[in-house]
Amino acid sequence: GEVWRACLLSTNRIVAVKKAKVETQESVWNESEVAFMMSLQHERLVEFIGAGTMYDERNQGNVVFAVVEFLSGGSLDTRPTC
């Protein structure tokens, strides 16, 4: 899916917004699912900040997105592997 760089206005923090490939008429985020993702903490995981849905005029439907910690340095799929 698409990823955008954004700024949280409440904290002035730069974040990454990941749009899921799935498009749906209803929200697929479950409150307990989001709470669980937000509770995960590990030095090798990006911080999960939140999630939601928004209406996409181009596709005439709701899209699901996740907001996560922004890490500079490019995409992992363009990095050399061991």
Side-chain angles (χ1 to χ4, degrees):
E2 298 173 38
V3 179
W4 301 291
R5 181 180 164 173
C7 180
L8 289 178
L9 296 178
S10 60
T11 61
N12 217 23
R13 180 179 179 187
I14 302 298
V15 296
V17 178
K18 169 98 170 119
K19 176 182 163 186
K21 292 181 182 178
V22 174
E23 293 177 8
T24 179
Q25 296 298 340
E26 297 179 27
S27 171
V28 296
W29 286 111
N30 176 312
E31 198 172 315
S32 61
E33 190 175 39
V34 172
F36 172 74
M37 294 290 288
M38 291 175 76
S39 73
L40 294 176
Q41 294 181 353
H42 190 276
E43 64 185 38
R44 293 182 184 245
L45 292 176
V46 294
E47 179 187 356
F48 184 88
I49 298 167
T53 59
M54 65 182 177
Y55 185 75
D56 183 1
E57 291 180 15
R58 290 181 295 174
N59 296 320
Q60 301 291 307
N62 290 332
V63 292
V64 177
F65 65 92
V67 181
V68 297
E69 171 185 12
F70 177 80
L71 298 177
S72 61
S75 175
L76 289 175
D77 63 353
T78 61
R79 299 254 175 146
T81 58
C82 297

